[in-house]
Amino acid sequence: VVFFEMIAPIFLAALLLRTADAACSTNSENCMGNADGCCIEGRECYEKTDTHSYCKEACPYDLTNGGNPDGSWLCTTPAPTPAPTTTCINDLSDCIDTDGNEIRCCDSSKKCWKKNASYGQCKTECPSGLDWICETLAPSPAPTACLNNENCVGSGDPCCDRSHTCFAKTATYGQCKAECPTGRTDSDGNPVTWECETAAPTPSPTETCYSAGTNCRVGGHANKCCDESLTCFEKAEFYGECKSVCPLNPDWSCYTPSPTVAPTFAPTEARDPYMTLRDAASNMSTPLPFGCVINYAFIDNPAKVNDHTEEDLELYLALAAKQYNWLTEENGCKWRYSWQHDRYRCVYMLEFAESHGMDFRGHALVWGKAASNPDFFDEECVEPLPGRCKSVVPDYTVDQKYKIMKDHVKNESEFYAGRLAAWDVVNEAVCDCWLSFSSCEEFVAANPDKCGKSDRYSGDEYDVYLKKNIYWPDMPDYIGVAFTETKKYDTTASLGYNEYKFEASTGWQKEKSDMTYQLIKSLVNEGVPIDYVGSQTHIDLGYMTYETGGGSTSTDFPSDISYLESVKANMDRYAAIGVDWHFTELTIALETTEDDFDATAEANQAFLYKGLLDLCLAETKCTSFQTWGFVDGWTNAYNGLKAYPFDTNYKGKQSFVEMMSSMDPVYEKTYNPSCSVESFGKCSVDADCCESGESCFKKNDHYSQCRPSCPDNADWDCYTGIETIFSGSPTEIAAAGAALLVTVFGGAFALKQLVADCMKTGGDEDEIDLTSADSNAMFFRNHNAFEDEAREKEKEKE
């Protein structure tokens, strides 16, 4: 009985559909006198003769015999055509054909939900907890683009509706018919003859064109047609999908490592390839801000992380200035550090950027995280005081909170006005519901002290849940107010909202992704001056298989969407509302410190770095690409995880090579881990691997460096002292030394002293010891000190 109750509606729907198809053809040749007859949407039944009418978009009033050999039309319309309601089907009925397209409409209260590639049902909502894909399909387009009893000859081979063929009546006229008309008469009763030759083959009917995401290589045959703007990309011999671009995934046959979008830089003349990320990014037709992050704490004390030395720091800063055109201070511009250090850390790095021609991003102006704020605005500074707190936070009124925030925003944005390229105005406000719950609603029910629903920023599409902190919920509009206040005092910087774990629009990030999008959309709709959304994008090599899910109990893990495709879809929807996309804190790390960074790991890291950069280059609204650090071993957060484009020897990894190849088409895509060493990078004196114009100079048995010349420092093995300048007999040395001193110092006393020292050696037969400590000290002191010493010796001699 249960089985019968389930199956009966399907048979009933099929019976109704078969009856409807017989009574109401979308290609009805005669729609007169048929009580149940109907025309497809957008057409009416127009009377041509007393016995024949046709479905037309408009009656052909003035057609001549050249366009309509049958003569004139009466053009009266019969009784209104019944709405084709009988073609819509009820619950439990299959609404998808074997090609994966929706072939039958559902009742108005239902949608066609897809269970698999060839089966779906009309339901009010998708069955939960079952093995359903749960994609909704837009109804197959009505075949209005294909002709219906109209001239299909000589007009570019127009298509006919399914089961119809273009039959020629004359050399210049034909109609789409199920079969060639025979035995017809015109309005005067005269026989009408048809040549009945078929015209040029009718293009594939609309039912064989596939929508996005469906298999277009059914049975392993040649690719089928896809809907407009889509292409059938092959994954395997028997599988392909209609997509706008080939997935950025090496599992697909169509994937090639080269960029899918031609670089925007096109050299106009032959040239050498650029050798730095900065040069490649800056010289594109639309220059790309390509940035890194530096923590001032490690400049102040490089030994704080991995026992780096001052020499390491020199290499580190030189590499940053050479490779990047955009800079952020990791912590120094945040409120707590600016308050503790009187802005010194932020200003120091800003001046470093300005002195090297780099733009600067301020990070972050308003952040609800307690430890990022001063004691007087740190909600966790209560008894017993945490170690970082020196005083108890007062119990503020809401008005006082608004004033404190506005004063802070005014002070900082006014102080840096005109010097920053961008400000991360608000940081990390959206709730992290996905950590252990399937939805934010469930998370908030279990953790009411952590997050809550924002009525102000929730919208028609998605609800928005915000983190509870010193600002929210007491200040329900604090995000919009922060942007508006910043814009008052800094009119030139781009203003953005910065967030993490939202960049993918599908998979386990989906809910936070949707909430972040709704938040930004609500701000835009309110007229808030927001220019970009900042995607931190802290990921690991596990994202190579992101589509398989992980990180949540949610079941929304589309198996046909890769991580890169999902990020692209998210970028697209921000572009649609006029908001730029910034990659602000990109890191691509090993999953654990126990993992080996072998050739496979390095290739996967390079694939993801290049893939994200390619997405940015292809999207005009992606206007910044920045990594959170740039050299392995220089951050505590990702220590040991090899997350950056440069290794611990300050040499570019394969990620560097792949990103260079994306931006510069002239760049030679060869990767040799033992050669092509950057300026000031570690090298081997046994291999000629330094860039043009530089050589490998040895410091000791364990360290050498690519430099233009050996440092003037006796700590280096390559240092040979002043004798590298002077050689020859004592007389020749004296003459050369005199010329040098006269040129450099211009002092007569210096010349006199050198001659006096020469005389002490006993003439031409003895060597002058110019490598002694006293002599070296004399030669390398500044001009004034040198002359003062010479005068003292002259007095002693006299």
Side-chain angles (χ1 to χ4, degrees):
V1 172
V2 172
F3 175 78
F4 177 77
E5 289 177 347
M6 292 176 61
I7 205 70
I10 299 178
F11 287 118
L12 178 60
L15 181 61
L16 290 174
L17 184 63
R18 182 178 298 275
T19 302
D21 284 343
C24 178
S25 170
T26 57
N27 294 277
S28 176
E29 296 174 11
N30 185 3
C31 51
M32 175 176 287
N34 185 346
D36 297 320
C38 62
C39 296
I40 61 174
E41 184 178 357
R43 295 174 184 257
E44 294 288 344
C45 184
Y46 288 100
E47 186 175 2
K48 181 177 181 183
T49 68
D50 294 336
T51 57
H52 284 78
S53 299
Y54 298 93
C55 293
K56 298 279 186 181
E57 292 180 359
C59 185
Y61 289 99
D62 299 321
L63 292 178
T64 64
N65 286 341
N68 177 25
D70 287 344
S72 61
W73 286 64
L74 297 178
C75 283
T76 56
T77 57
T81 302
T85 55
T86 55
T87 61
C88 291
I89 54 180
N90 296 312
D91 205 8
L92 299 177
S93 301
D94 186 4
C95 50
I96 297 179
D97 65 14
T98 55
D99 294 324
N101 299 311
E102 182 175 347
I103 55 170
R104 301 180 180 91
C105 65
C106 297
D107 288 344
S108 59
S109 61
K110 298 177 177 63
K111 294 181 179 179
C112 183
W113 293 95
K114 189 173 182 180
K115 180 174 184 180
N116 53 46
S118 59
Y119 184 76
Q121 284 184 1
C122 292
K123 289 184 172 291
T124 53
E125 59 184 21
C126 187
S128 59
L130 300 175
D131 187 21
W132 284 65
I133 296 177
C134 284
E135 293 177 355
T136 57
L137 298 179
S140 299
T144 54
C146 291
L147 301 181
N148 191 25
N149 292 315
E150 294 158 14
N151 189 6
C152 52
V153 175
S155 55
D157 294 336
C159 64
C160 294
D161 289 336
R162 70 182 71 179
S163 76
H164 282 60
T165 305
C166 184
F167 289 101
K169 181 177 183 182
T170 66
T172 59
Y173 184 82
Q175 285 185 4
C176 294
K177 301 278 186 183
E179 57 185 21
C180 186
T182 58
R184 298 292 180 89
T185 60
D186 61 18
S187 57
D188 297 326
N190 300 318
V192 175
T193 58
W194 286 66
E195 294 180 0
C196 284
E197 294 181 359
T198 57
T202 303
S204 300
T206 55
E207 66 176 9
T208 61
C209 288
Y210 292 79
S211 57
T214 53
N215 184 7
C216 49
R217 286 186 62 82
V218 180
H221 299 298
N223 295 348
K224 305 296 183 182
C225 69
C226 293
D227 289 345
E228 187 177 359
S229 79
L230 300 177
T231 303
C232 185
F233 288 100
E234 181 180 349
K235 183 175 184 180
E237 181 181 357
F238 294 95
Y239 189 78
E241 284 185 12
C242 292
K243 292 180 176 291
S244 56
V245 295
C246 175
L248 296 172
N249 189 324
D251 291 340
W252 285 67
S253 302
C254 59
Y255 168 76
T256 55
S258 57
T260 56
V261 178
T264 56
F265 175 84
T268 55
E269 57 185 16
R271 60 171 178 80
D272 292 330
Y274 296 120
M275 298 305 294
T276 69
L277 297 167
R278 175 177 181 147
D279 287 343
S282 299
N283 286 282
M284 298 176 69
S285 59
T286 301
L288 176 67
F290 205 102
C292 66
V293 168
I294 294 177
N295 190 332
Y296 172 83
F298 302 144
I299 294 178
D300 186 52
N301 181 9
K304 272 182 138 182
V305 55
N306 295 327
D307 296 322
H308 286 127
T309 66
E310 291 294 332
E311 290 167 350
D312 292 325
L313 178 62
E314 176 189 354
L315 299 175
Y316 180 67
L317 294 178
L319 186 64
K322 181 175 182 178
Q323 290 290 342
Y324 297 97
N325 59 21
W326 185 282
L327 184 66
T328 296
E329 210 293 334
E330 184 172 351
N331 291 317
C333 303
K334 295 170 184 174
W335 193 359
R336 184 174 191 85
Y337 293 93
S338 290
W339 170 68
Q340 286 180 332
H341 304 286
D342 195 25
R343 299 194 183 99
Y344 179 74
R345 293 184 174 191
C346 189
V347 170
Y348 182 96
M349 293 313 305
L350 173 59
E351 291 178 348
F352 175 88
E354 291 173 335
S355 67
H356 292 90
M358 308 166 81
D359 287 327
F360 195 83
R361 181 198 305 276
H363 173 82
L365 196 53
V366 174
W367 189 11
K369 185 176 180 179
S372 71
N373 294 326
D375 288 359
F376 64 82
F377 214 59
D378 185 337
E379 62 185 351
E380 294 181 359
C381 287
V382 295
E383 297 291 355
L385 287 176
R388 69 174 183 275
C389 298
K390 302 296 185 279
S391 60
V392 176
V393 61
D395 186 14
Y396 297 113
T397 66
V398 173
D399 288 342
Q400 287 173 327
K401 285 187 176 183
Y402 271 112
K403 184 177 188 318
I404 291 171
M405 186 189 78
K406 289 181 178 180
D407 287 347
H408 163 61
V409 170
K410 178 180 184 295
N411 291 339
E412 298 306 298
S413 56
E414 201 170 44
F415 179 83
Y416 294 107
R419 300 179 70 183
L420 305 187
W423 253 123
D424 289 340
V425 176
V426 179
N427 196 48
E428 300 177 4
V430 177
C431 185
D432 296 319
C433 308
W434 45 263
L435 291 175
S436 55
F437 291 82
S438 61
S439 71
C440 270
E441 188 175 4
E442 289 184 14
F443 176 85
V444 171
N447 300 275
D449 59 324
K450 299 292 185 184
C451 300
K453 180 181 174 182
S454 167
D455 293 331
R456 183 179 188 90
Y457 296 126
S458 293
D460 295 336
E461 290 188 82
Y462 311 106
D463 288 332
V464 175
Y465 290 83
L466 298 179
K467 295 174 181 174
K468 291 185 176 180
N469 51 44
I470 192 75
Y471 301 104
W472 195 87
D474 289 351
M475 304 160 62
D477 60 343
Y478 87 95
I479 298 176
V481 171
F483 278 92
T484 302
E485 291 296 307
T486 305
K487 196 66 174 180
K488 285 183 183 179
Y489 306 105
D490 191 339
T491 59
T492 60
S494 293
L495 308 183
Y497 172 79
N498 195 49
E499 189 55 86
Y500 64 97
K501 301 301 181 192
F502 82 100
E503 69 276 5
S505 59
T506 60
W508 58 268
Q509 289 187 12
K510 183 181 188 306
E511 187 166 23
K512 187 171 183 181
S513 180
D514 291 340
M515 289 193 296
T516 305
Y517 169 72
Q518 182 63 60
L519 168 64
I520 304 305
K521 184 178 178 181
S522 296
L523 293 173
V524 170
N525 291 339
E526 287 184 5
V528 171
I530 180 171
D531 300 302
Y532 67 88
V533 60
S535 173
Q536 296 181 18
T537 323
H538 295 296
I539 66 174
D540 56 47
L541 299 187
Y543 281 65
M544 289 292 292
T545 55
Y546 172 84
E547 66 272 15
T548 61
S552 170
T553 59
S554 171
T555 57
D556 183 19
F557 305 141
S559 60
D560 60 341
I561 304 272
S562 73
Y563 172 71
L564 294 176
E565 285 182 299
S566 188
V567 174
K568 180 185 184 303
N570 209 13
M571 294 171 68
D572 288 345
R573 63 176 172 176
Y574 283 98
I577 61 173
V579 176
D580 284 5
W581 181 284
H582 287 195
F583 286 101
T584 55
E585 305 182 16
L586 177 59
T587 51
I588 303 175
L590 293 170
E591 294 185 72
T592 72
T593 55
E594 303 300 319
D595 295 341
D596 291 330
F597 193 70
D598 54 18
T600 299
E602 184 164 14
N604 287 341
Q605 183 186 64
F607 170 80
L608 289 170
Y609 264 117
K610 173 182 167 55
L612 290 170
L613 177 58
D614 284 345
L615 293 182
C616 189
L617 296 177
E619 174 53 68
T620 58
K621 296 293 285 182
C622 182
T623 51
S624 178
F625 193 86
Q626 187 168 18
T627 57
W628 198 249
F630 58 103
V631 176
D632 290 342
W634 269 92
T635 62
N636 283 326
Y638 296 94
N639 207 1
L641 293 173
K642 310 296 177 66
Y644 301 107
F646 294 90
D647 64 19
T648 53
N649 292 321
Y650 309 95
K651 183 177 72 66
K653 291 151 61 175
Q654 189 171 352
S655 298
F656 165 82
V657 174
E658 291 295 332
M659 288 192 292
M660 284 293 300
S661 70
S662 285
M663 292 188 290
D664 183 6
V666 183
Y667 186 79
E668 194 68 31
K669 280 191 59 177
T670 57
Y671 175 64
N672 184 338
S674 64
C675 217
S676 301
V677 179
E678 290 287 313
S679 181
F680 300 106
K682 185 176 180 181
C683 57
S684 169
V685 293
D686 299 326
D688 183 17
C689 289
C690 296
E691 291 182 355
S692 176
E694 297 187 349
S695 299
C696 189
F697 290 95
K698 182 178 179 182
K699 181 176 183 180
N700 52 48
D701 290 339
H702 306 289
Y703 188 76
S704 299
Q705 196 179 94
C706 287
R707 305 179 67 101
S709 61
C710 180
D712 291 329
N713 188 325
D715 292 339
W716 285 68
D717 286 359
C718 61
Y719 176 77
T720 53
I722 200 66
E723 71 270 16
T724 59
I725 301 176
F726 301 110
S727 61
S729 67
T731 304
E732 292 170 335
I733 292 174
L740 175 64
L741 291 173
V742 170
T743 302
V744 176
F745 299 110
F749 289 108
L751 174 59
K752 191 172 184 180
Q753 184 63 45
L754 178 65
V755 174
D757 286 348
C758 182
M759 293 301 100
K760 292 178 184 178
T761 65
D764 292 344
E765 300 300 322
D766 296 321
E767 295 181 353
I768 301 175
D769 182 13
L770 292 177
T771 62
S772 68
D774 289 342
S775 297
N776 282 333
M778 182 187 300
F779 272 90
F780 289 103
R781 289 194 181 103
N782 63 40
H783 173 74
N784 292 333
F786 188 94
E787 288 198 338
D788 290 342
E789 184 173 318
R791 288 191 185 96
E792 291 299 323
K793 289 190 175 184
E794 184 67 19
K795 289 179 182 179
E796 290 174 3
K797 184 176 181 180
E798 291 175 354

